[in-house]
Amino acid sequence: MKNNCVILYHLFTGDCLTMYACIRYYLEEYKQVYIFCLKRCSKFINQLYDKHSNINIIVLPDDYEKNKMYYIVPINNISKYLPDIKDYDLIKTGNSFNEDGHIIPEWDKMTYLGEFWRKFYFQANLDYSIRNKYLHINRNCLRELELYNKIIKIYGKNYIFIQDHHHISYSHKGRMVHLNKECIINDNIPIFHPNANFYNEYKNHKFYNLWNKELISDNFLDYCMVLEKAHGIYMMDSSFSNLCAYLDLSNVKFKKLQTKLDYIDYHPMGDFDTWEIKSKF
């Protein structure tokens, strides 16, 4: 084992949480660990590992997401971003490590392991149960409280948190964007969406004017308290549903998740056995 370790993994926000236990484990094994992150995730990733002095986070350039395979760092690009690191162990997880996006042959051969999350940990030479060891994320309670107070000043303390893939600034490639709003819209409890106005298509609704873009945080972790104090949660499989696995949602009255994934297997440390989970609502 060398002193340095470079870990490659998918760079989307949810994937960063999926691989959290993997990175925490190897931070205990190596003197220095190097990881990459997208610019839009940099505040979240820096806070997540702020208490670990031996992690080195390489924030990719602003235009990195213009690349075809922007959710990975190809192996031949490591020297480009880490020119001074010559001697290191490489832990590579994911379905591709090439600039052309060619899927590695062994990806489909690992189907017997289960879904992608189990493949990632197998590639990292770790048993998936290790996710149960690293249950705590680094939270900034002051920032969380500031955002929570800003939201309840407008929405009140009784609100529903909804999350789909709609965003006012960018579109999610290849993802179904919207939940079925008709299943949840009501005149009694306002619905808060972190990235867009839930009522955008309902301009005459009494809650239409509540939301504004000042309620968007540039740090994904700021929403922890907002989620924990919600009356209800209704979301798609997303980075936010991955975050829920690390939160205390015992006071949330209802929790609904739209996904085709086995979330109880995906997040064994979460409380998804108490959620209503369907492929479509």
Side-chain angles (χ1 to χ4, degrees):
M1 181 181 288
K2 299 181 171 69
N3 289 330
N4 300 317
C5 173
V6 176
I7 303 177
L8 299 182
Y9 59 94
H10 290 190
L11 300 174
F12 292 145
T13 310
D15 294 314
C16 294
L17 282 174
T18 300
M19 298 306 293
Y20 175 66
C22 170
I23 294 165
R24 283 288 307 275
Y25 173 81
Y26 283 115
L27 282 169
E28 297 171 2
E29 298 295 311
Y30 287 89
K31 289 185 176 179
Q32 296 294 323
V33 171
Y34 296 82
I35 64 171
F36 299 90
C37 82
L38 299 173
K39 182 67 176 294
R40 62 181 164 91
C41 295
S42 59
K43 291 186 177 180
F44 150 54
I45 296 297
N46 273 287
Q47 179 181 321
L48 196 61
Y49 299 108
D50 181 59
K51 298 185 183 300
H52 302 276
S53 59
N54 61 326
I55 194 161
N56 302 269
I57 301 167
I58 297 86
V59 180
L60 297 164
D62 288 335
D63 61 352
Y64 193 80
E65 293 195 43
K66 294 179 181 179
N67 297 332
K68 177 182 178 182
M69 299 293 285
Y70 69 93
Y71 66 87
I72 62 166
V73 174
I75 290 176
N76 60 359
N77 280 5
I78 294 176
S79 59
K80 174 182 177 181
Y81 297 112
L82 293 171
D84 300 324
I85 309 300
K86 305 298 182 184
D87 193 28
Y88 58 85
D89 286 333
L90 176 63
I91 296 170
K92 52 181 185 175
T93 71
N95 63 8
S96 179
F97 308 109
N98 302 310
E99 288 180 287
D100 62 6
H102 180 70
I103 304 300
I104 56 174
E106 58 266 34
W107 186 253
D108 287 337
K109 294 178 181 179
M110 291 189 290
T111 303
Y112 71 95
L113 294 168
E115 291 284 358
F116 63 86
W117 52 86
R118 289 191 174 270
K119 294 180 181 180
F120 290 164
Y121 275 76
F122 178 81
Q123 290 174 309
N125 297 312
L126 294 173
D127 190 278
Y128 196 68
S129 62
I130 201 168
R131 291 199 69 193
N132 291 310
K133 180 180 178 180
Y134 301 97
L135 304 178
H136 302 290
I137 55 176
N138 184 35
R139 293 174 59 168
N140 186 325
C141 294
L142 290 177
R143 283 183 59 95
E144 290 182 29
L145 182 60
E146 181 180 355
L147 179 61
Y148 172 71
N149 284 335
K150 187 187 295 186
I151 291 169
I152 64 171
K153 184 178 180 180
I154 301 171
Y155 283 75
K157 292 184 178 181
N158 200 29
Y159 58 88
I160 294 170
F161 188 105
I162 188 171
Q163 165 64 17
D164 55 18
H165 296 294
H166 184 58
H167 198 289
I168 63 169
S169 300
Y170 64 88
S171 60
H172 285 263
K173 301 172 183 176
R175 302 295 296 270
M176 184 172 69
V177 176
H178 295 292
L179 287 162
N180 182 1
K181 294 184 177 181
E182 297 299 328
C183 290
I184 195 169
I185 194 167
N186 66 87
D187 291 327
N188 300 315
I189 303 178
I191 299 167
F192 172 76
H193 191 301
N195 298 322
N197 187 352
F198 173 83
Y199 301 96
N200 192 50
E201 300 169 9
Y202 304 89
K203 292 183 169 47
N204 294 322
H205 198 280
K206 63 187 288 188
F207 297 135
Y208 172 76
N209 291 314
L210 295 183
W211 192 87
N212 68 77
K213 63 182 181 180
E214 299 303 318
L215 298 177
I216 296 179
S217 173
D218 59 0
N219 187 335
F220 170 64
L221 294 176
D222 288 345
Y223 293 98
C224 292
M225 185 181 295
V226 179
L227 283 160
E228 290 179 332
K229 291 184 175 294
H231 172 83
I233 295 173
Y234 184 53
M235 59 178 58
M236 282 181 166
D237 164 44
S238 66
S239 54
F240 279 89
S241 54
N242 288 341
L243 177 61
C244 284
Y246 295 94
L247 304 181
D248 177 7
L249 303 176
S250 57
N251 292 320
V252 179
K253 300 295 188 295
F254 70 84
K255 295 164 286 188
K256 297 185 178 184
L257 175 64
Q258 180 172 306
T259 182
K260 294 181 180 180
L261 301 178
D262 182 350
Y263 252 65
I264 295 175
D265 183 68
Y266 190 0
H267 298 296
M269 68 294 192
D271 70 340
F272 287 102
D273 57 332
T274 69
W275 289 56
E276 182 182 357
I277 301 177
K278 294 183 178 180
S279 60
K280 190 174 182 179
F281 282 97

